[in-house]
């Protein structure tokens, strides 16, 4: 069965950095588009980033462009998200996900599979 296990979250001050990891199993990782999504307290899911199977196509949410780098190691079945210059509004639970589509009306992510999430808290 599909398993996605995130790690690397934590508490940082504004301007700090974190690197999230996601260990994937139960499917052919190297053939799969992968995503990071997040959910802030009291809000719905928000798409954060996408990477293609080869790792050479990436996309990022506008609010975090220039501060994020998504990457993958297909030999280790692992997805990463490097987050720099973090802001308080970046605080959320971050999830690794697959089979993600966008709701045609709200543009909210429709998530097929996701992990248990890792908490990112940014505060002074």
């Amino acid at each position: 069965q599909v398993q996605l296990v995130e790690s690397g979250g934590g508490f940082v001050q504004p301007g700090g950095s974190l690197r999230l990891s996601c260990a994937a199993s139960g499917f052919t990782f190297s053939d799969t588009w992968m995503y990071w999504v997040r959910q802030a307290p009291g809000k719905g899911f928000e798409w954060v980033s996408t990477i293609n199977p080869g790792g050479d196509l990436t996309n990022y949410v506008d609010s975090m462009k220039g501060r994020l780098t998504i990457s993958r190691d297909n030999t280790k079945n692992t997805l990463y998200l490097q987050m720099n210059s973090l802001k308080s509004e970046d605080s959320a639970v971050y999830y690794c996900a697959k089979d993600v589509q966008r709701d045609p009306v709200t543009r909210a992510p429709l998530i097929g599979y996701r992990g248990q999430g890792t908490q990112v808290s940014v505060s002074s």
Side-chain angles (χ1 to χ4, degrees):
Q1 70 279 19
V2 173
Q3 282 198 312
L4 300 167
V5 180
E6 301 93 338
S7 61
F11 181 89
V12 294
Q13 293 186 335
S17 298
L18 285 172
R19 189 193 195 204
L20 308 184
S21 298
C22 171
S25 61
F27 62 100
T28 306
F29 180 77
S30 58
D31 289 344
T32 305
W33 288 73
M34 294 298 298
Y35 305 82
W36 287 98
V37 298
R38 66 183 178 182
Q39 187 174 33
K43 296 188 176 182
F45 285 100
E46 179 184 27
W47 167 80
V48 173
S49 185
T50 302
I51 188 167
N52 71 330
D56 57 338
L57 290 177
T58 60
N59 201 3
Y60 303 99
V61 64
D62 285 346
S63 62
M64 299 189 81
K65 273 183 182 175
R67 302 188 290 121
L68 292 181
T69 303
I70 188 173
S71 62
R72 64 194 297 159
D73 186 336
N74 288 341
T75 66
K76 296 181 178 179
N77 286 359
T78 303
L79 178 71
Y80 303 99
L81 186 68
Q82 177 69 43
M83 303 191 295
N84 300 323
S85 302
L86 284 162
K87 305 176 181 180
S88 58
E89 54 263 42
D90 299 324
S91 296
V93 179
Y94 284 72
Y95 299 89
C96 165
K98 67 183 287 292
D99 299 343
V100 175
Q101 299 182 24
R102 296 285 196 98
D103 183 286
V105 176
T106 67
R107 305 300 294 163
L110 304 175
I111 303 165
Y113 296 91
R114 59 177 169 87
Q116 84 290 347
T118 186
Q119 177 71 51
V120 172
S121 298
V122 185
S123 175
S124 55

